Structure formats: C-alpha cells, structure tokens
Amino acid sequence: TIAFFLSTLGMAVITTVAPGVVLKQLIAMVLGISMFLLVGWSLRDLERAKKFRYIAAVAGIAFLLITLVFGKEYYGAKNWLVIGSLSIQPSELSKICFVYVGASAMNRIMTKRNIFLFIGYSVAICGCLALMNDFGTALIFFCAFLVLAYLRAGSVGTIALACTSLGFAGVVALKIAPHAMRRFSSWRHIWEVPLAGGYQQTRALMCMASGGLLGLGAGNGWMRNVFAADSDVAIATLCEEWGLIMVVMVVLAIVALAVFSVRSAAVGRSSFYTIGACTAASIMVMQVILNALGTVDVLPLTGVTFPFLSNGGSSMICSWGLLAFIKAADTRQNASFAVRLTKNGGEADE
C-alpha cells in the first residue's frame, strides 16, 4: 500500500513535468513489481536463497564493471548505461544484490574469512562507484555496510573506525574529483550563486514556500521548468503542487517501512530476514535523507533519487526489489513470503 501510494504521487509529479515519459515509468513500475515477486520467491526458501547469493554477488559487481567500461558520463558521473534508446543505471540494481549478499554473508558464522570476504566485496563496490564519480550512491552502500556490520557484530568501536576511514576517504575524493568538489562548493551558499550551482535548490525552496500546506494544485506549479524537477528535486514539485502536508506524508511513509523492519527484528524467524529487511530499509531511509535534505540545502545535492517517487526506471525497480526484503521479514499470518500454512491451519517456516 505504501509503495503504491508513493508511486502514484510520483506519477502525478511526472505527468506535470514530463508527460511523455509516463508510459515508461508505468512499465518500470510493472517491472519493479515483477522484481518484488522474483526476490520474494527466492527469499521464501532459505536454501534457495543461499544459492541465489552467489548469483547476486557476481551480478552486483558485474553491473558496476560493465558501467565502468561501457557507461556514459552525465553531469560528472559515469553511472549510466545506454543501449539504443534505453538508458539504465546499473548501480541501482547492485543495491538489491548487495543486500542479498550482505544478509547471506552475515547470517553465516562470523569467521575471519567470511568477514574479510564481505569487506573486500564492499570495498570493491564502493571503489567502482568512486571511479564513476557517483559518491552519493557510494555513501548509501557504505551506510548499508555499517548497518550490516552493526547488526551482526554490535561493536560501536568498529563502526566508529569505519566512519573515520570514510572521513579520510571523503577528503581524498574531494581532492581528486572536481565534480564532487563543485557540489560541495555551493553547499550552504546557494543564495550566493542562484544562477549557477545553487539554481535548482533556490528555485526548489521558493516553489516549496509558494505551495504552502495544501499546494497550488496539480499542474499549477512553476517547478516543472527546473531541471530534474521529477527526479533529483521531485519533492519540491510535489510540495509546490500538493502541499507540505503531502511531503511530510511521503517521508513518514518511508519511516514507517523502517519502523516496521526494526519491530520485525524482535520476532524474526532468521537473522537472514532480519538483516535483509533492516539493511533494505536503511538504504531507503538514507536515500530519503540525501534527497530531501539535499533539496533544501541542509546537505549537498547528490542526485540521489527518492524511493518510488522520483522518475527513473532503474530506481523504481530497485525500490520494489528492496521492498521484498522488508516484506520477507513480515511474520503476520497469511502475510509473509517466508511462511506457509500447514494442513491443520497452523504456520510453518519454509
């Protein structure tokens, strides 16, 4: 219900900004639901899930390597793969693979070999993204890694060490990547460069203010004239036309998925489901934080999409795929991927 609510509002935003791509986004939604069902089917049986983790591990890194070699660079980041008239962002699909591999790896006995293999896999993923100058997505993967590590190890010291390492890596990245540095240069100074680096955010803030609590009405906003008004800064378009109340609702919708995942952890049948759900929810929450706070200049604008809401086929498919991990942690009767009914009406784990 939450996913369809967000997707419907996203379709309303896209209809205002780019009505010509509505059909494409609708097809992406259908593909996303298919991904949701496929991932859900694979998660239903833990033995089957263990086999799928190898496919996911190879696919996750392969998507990024192919993008590194054949990808096209747009606005400083080489994260798009163009095939004819079709353009996809493989790093979005790698998120699903990363959660799958992480949940499977951390569910096994925590041997040094297992830990080092997963750390190496995570470093390879983030390294590929850094080479593509896609630092926003790299940050999301890093946060997902922290969640995975903490859920299994529970060591605050380890997490602090990892965050410190990220700080040093971030400083180096800013020195060697001018694209990332340009984004940081206008952060918190957008009103000083309203016609350059601060153009999107200054217009977003003005349009959000003009929308008020209830909005100007669908199709009555000016935000549609701004670049990426249906993707990177989609919540500004939503706020202008549908009101601040609606923006608060879409943020709370993602928060609700996160709360559900945390509450499900206490009654989870397996740490595999618990880790997968919490990691998937953390990725969604991190995307919302970067997207929403980046739009209003609290954080740098990184180009990260808002789950289900932003225009983008790859993002839509990824969001539905991540939702499958959250759904798999559901323990309610007749509501879980991972529970089947026995002949006498009781529940049994697959």
Side-chain angles (χ1 to χ4, degrees):
T1 302
I2 288 176
F4 279 116
F5 166 67
L6 294 172
S7 298
T8 302
L9 286 176
M11 202 68 74
V13 170
I14 294 169
T15 302
T16 295
V17 179
V21 301
V22 169
L23 179 60
K24 176 189 75 68
Q25 189 72 354
L26 184 61
I27 293 173
M29 191 187 302
V30 173
L31 292 175
I33 296 172
S34 301
M35 177 65 75
F36 172 80
L37 296 174
L38 175 63
V39 175
W41 170 79
S42 70
L43 295 174
R44 187 171 173 81
D45 186 343
L46 281 176
E47 292 302 318
R48 183 165 56 218
K50 291 178 183 178
K51 297 176 183 178
F52 266 76
R53 73 168 178 261
Y54 299 111
I55 300 175
V58 174
I61 197 71
F63 286 142
L64 299 181
L65 291 176
I66 291 173
T67 307
L68 269 175
V69 177
F70 301 104
K72 299 292 183 181
E73 182 175 323
Y74 291 103
Y75 308 104
K78 188 179 180 181
N79 55 356
W80 288 94
L81 195 63
V82 180
I83 306 174
S85 60
L86 178 66
S87 59
I88 60 175
Q89 199 169 357
S91 59
E92 292 291 328
L93 302 179
S94 292
K95 293 176 185 175
I96 302 174
C97 299
F98 186 79
V99 175
Y100 214 124
V101 174
S104 301
M106 294 302 180
N107 185 51
R108 300 170 63 191
I109 297 174
M110 291 293 291
T111 62
K112 288 185 178 181
R113 175 178 176 273
N114 189 37
I115 294 174
F116 289 143
L117 282 176
F118 183 64
I119 290 176
Y121 184 78
S122 302
V123 169
I125 290 283
C126 292
C128 288
L129 291 168
L131 290 174
M132 292 188 291
N133 287 336
D134 192 356
F135 294 103
T137 304
L139 179 60
I140 292 173
F141 273 96
F142 180 77
C143 291
F145 170 78
L146 291 183
V147 171
L148 284 163
Y150 182 75
L151 284 173
R152 202 55 178 152
S155 173
V156 178
T158 302
I159 303 302
L161 179 62
C163 290
T164 303
S165 301
L166 175 66
F168 283 111
V171 172
V172 174
L174 291 177
K175 293 292 184 181
I176 64 177
H179 165 67
M181 191 61 193
R182 283 195 300 270
R183 295 207 174 196
F184 271 93
S185 64
S186 61
W187 176 42
R188 308 300 298 166
H189 300 285
I190 58 173
W191 295 105
E192 298 173 15
V193 284
L195 298 178
Y199 185 86
Q200 282 178 291
Q201 290 153 297
T202 52
R203 271 60 183 176
L205 288 170
M206 289 188 288
C207 289
M208 293 173 75
S210 66
L213 290 176
L214 301 178
L216 302 176
N220 295 327
W222 183 88
M223 188 65 195
R224 64 177 179 270
N225 298 309
V226 178
F227 173 72
D230 57 344
S231 54
D232 296 358
V233 289
I235 63 164
T237 307
L238 182 69
C239 188
E240 182 186 25
E241 298 190 356
W242 293 81
L244 180 62
I245 293 176
M246 192 63 76
V247 170
V248 173
M249 289 180 65
V250 299
V251 172
L252 290 178
I254 299 297
V255 172
L257 292 177
V259 172
F260 174 81
S261 300
V262 173
R263 289 176 61 88
S264 298
V267 292
R269 287 172 296 276
S270 167
S271 58
F272 173 80
Y273 295 120
T274 297
I275 294 172
C278 290
T279 306
S282 69
I283 289 177
M284 288 190 179
V285 170
M286 193 63 193
Q287 286 190 216
V288 169
I289 291 173
L290 292 175
N291 180 277
L293 298 186
T295 299
V296 297
D297 198 36
V298 175
L299 293 176
L301 186 63
T302 57
V304 172
T305 56
F306 196 111
F308 300 105
L309 182 69
S310 295
N311 183 16
S314 303
S315 176
M316 178 65 73
I317 295 172
C318 170
S319 297
W320 279 98
L322 293 175
L323 187 67
F325 290 96
I326 299 175
K327 184 62 178 173
D330 193 348
T331 57
R332 295 173 297 168
Q333 187 176 8
N334 297 327
S336 176
F337 280 143
V339 171
R340 60 180 172 81
L341 293 179
T342 60
K343 292 182 179 180
N344 59 8
E347 294 182 359
D349 290 345
E350 279 281 348

